[in-house]
Amino acid sequence: NPKWQEVTRELLPHQTAVDRPDLTARIFHMKLRELLKDLCEKHCFGKVVTFIYVIEFQKRGLPHAHILLILSQDSKLHSAEDYDAIVSAEIPDPNVHLLAYETV
């Protein structure tokens, strides 16, 4: 996220995150390692048997990751209630955010 405080506080006046790929890549990598630690060591979604990830850079030079987790058999989700316990979604209010509502 180019608006992360760790990025914005290091930018010079009139610079954007795109102007500092060294900074954004380092911060992204640190945050990705923390996310993987939460997923694989702290077992946020259950016991992870294996994982793989790929980092891509957008046209603006900002990184993002695709992560595939393989959970152990006893940690896998089997019902709609299991998914509802970890996934949250909200439909935007059409009176407040019409464009977002129409997009959804």
Side-chain angles (χ1 to χ4, degrees):
N1 184 344
K3 294 185 168 105
W4 278 333
Q5 182 182 7
E6 298 90 340
V7 174
T8 58
R9 74 170 169 238
E10 299 298 327
L11 297 175
L12 297 174
H14 307 294
Q15 273 189 330
T16 64
V18 177
D19 298 328
R20 293 290 309 275
D22 60 320
L23 181 65
T24 55
R26 285 182 181 191
I27 292 170
F28 175 81
H29 187 69
M30 289 178 359
K31 289 188 176 270
L32 178 62
R33 283 189 306 200
E34 286 299 314
L35 174 63
L36 290 173
K37 186 188 303 181
D38 288 345
L39 296 172
C40 298
E41 295 175 18
K42 295 181 181 176
H43 308 294
C44 291
F45 292 132
K47 187 172 188 303
V48 175
V49 176
T50 190
F51 69 95
I52 188 169
Y53 66 92
V54 174
I55 298 172
E56 295 178 348
F57 289 83
Q58 301 168 349
K59 289 181 182 178
R60 296 177 294 152
L62 299 174
H64 68 275
H66 299 268
I67 303 171
L68 174 65
L69 301 173
I70 307 295
L71 301 176
S72 67
Q73 191 63 35
D74 58 327
S75 295
K76 290 185 179 180
L77 306 175
H78 297 287
S79 67
E81 292 78 24
D82 292 341
Y83 285 96
D84 287 343
I86 62 168
V87 176
S88 174
E90 182 178 321
I91 297 176
D93 183 351
N95 298 321
V96 178
H97 302 287
L98 181 60
L99 182 59
Y101 178 79
E102 289 175 350
T103 302
V104 172

